[in-house]
Amino acid sequence: MTKYWCGVVSREHIKFGEQGGFCQVCHGKRAPLARMAVGDGIVFYSPVLQFKGKEKCQSFTAIATVVGEETYQFQMSPSFVPYRRDVAYQPCVDAPIHPLLDQLSFTAGNSNWGYKFRFGHFEITPDDFLLLATTMLPNSAQTVLTPVHSMSVGQNLDLFTEQSE
């Protein structure tokens, strides 16, 4: 069964991930990445523009499908060897969170809406994922975007199938 996730990463770092076709969350921990399965959807929220920076971003900045079977380590420096997972990113536009706060189940009615993001990686509902995907993917107004619910070997791993309204 397909699950949907939110990862929290600076905008600068998620753009590096897009270029490399991988994701890395929670300062390189393995466990969050291992909870995901091939075919799962993931959106990335960027609280700031740069890691350890103070300039706010507060937007969803990337969306992808998990394609890598396993997590793996990558040596970024002699003392930092984080875990990564391969994902297929979709071209998207940034989606500021403030207009979505009352619509997302994990932020609606919560004055401390940012608290959930402190976990760094968490599961979200299919409805939340669909709302974010519709907001982030270009030309989504012309089509109904439906998350792919089942995957089989050799099947295209696109995030969505397009259906006419």
Side-chain angles (χ1 to χ4, degrees), residues 9 20 80 120:
V9 181
F80 186 51

Side-chain angles (χ1 to χ4, degrees), residues 104-126:
L104 295 166
S105 68
F106 57 92
T107 59
N110 188 348
S111 60
N112 295 322
W113 60 266
Y115 180 76
K116 184 79 170 181
F117 295 106
R118 295 181 66 100
F119 292 99
H121 182 263
F122 56 94
E123 190 171 352
I124 62 174
T125 68

Side-chain angles (χ1 to χ4, degrees), residues 5-136:
W5 306 91
C6 180
V8 182
V9 181
S10 73
R11 189 176 195 286
E12 174 187 45
H13 281 183
I14 201 59
K15 296 308 170 185
F16 289 139
E18 280 182 333
Q19 292 171 3
F22 67 88
C23 70
Q24 182 177 307
V25 297
C26 301
H27 305 289
K29 290 187 173 79
R30 180 185 175 282
L33 299 176
R35 283 193 289 270
M36 300 188 302
V38 171
D40 282 1
I42 184 167
V43 295
F44 294 91
Y45 175 74
S46 298
V48 293
L49 293 175
Q50 295 181 323
F51 179 63
K52 294 187 179 181
K54 294 185 192 246
E55 189 174 352
K56 292 179 181 180
C57 181
Q58 295 185 327
S59 296
F60 293 92
T61 52
I63 189 166
T65 302
V66 177
V67 296
E69 293 283 340
E70 300 292 330
T71 63
Y72 59 91
Q73 287 186 286
F74 180 84
Q75 186 164 358
M76 294 184 69
S77 72
S79 62
F80 186 51
V81 187
Y83 283 90
R84 292 180 171 180
R85 186 88 182 251
D86 289 338
V87 296
Y89 288 95
Q90 297 289 320
C92 68
V93 296
D94 289 1
I97 193 167
H98 288 281
L100 301 169
L101 288 175
D102 289 334
Q103 299 172 61
L104 295 166
S105 68
F106 57 92
T107 59
N110 188 348
S111 60
N112 295 322
W113 60 266
Y115 180 76
K116 184 79 170 181
F117 295 106
R118 295 181 66 100
F119 292 99
H121 182 263
F122 56 94
E123 190 171 352
I124 62 174
T125 68
D127 288 342
D128 286 340
F129 187 83
L130 185 59
L131 171 64
L132 290 165
T134 303
T135 304
M136 296 173 73

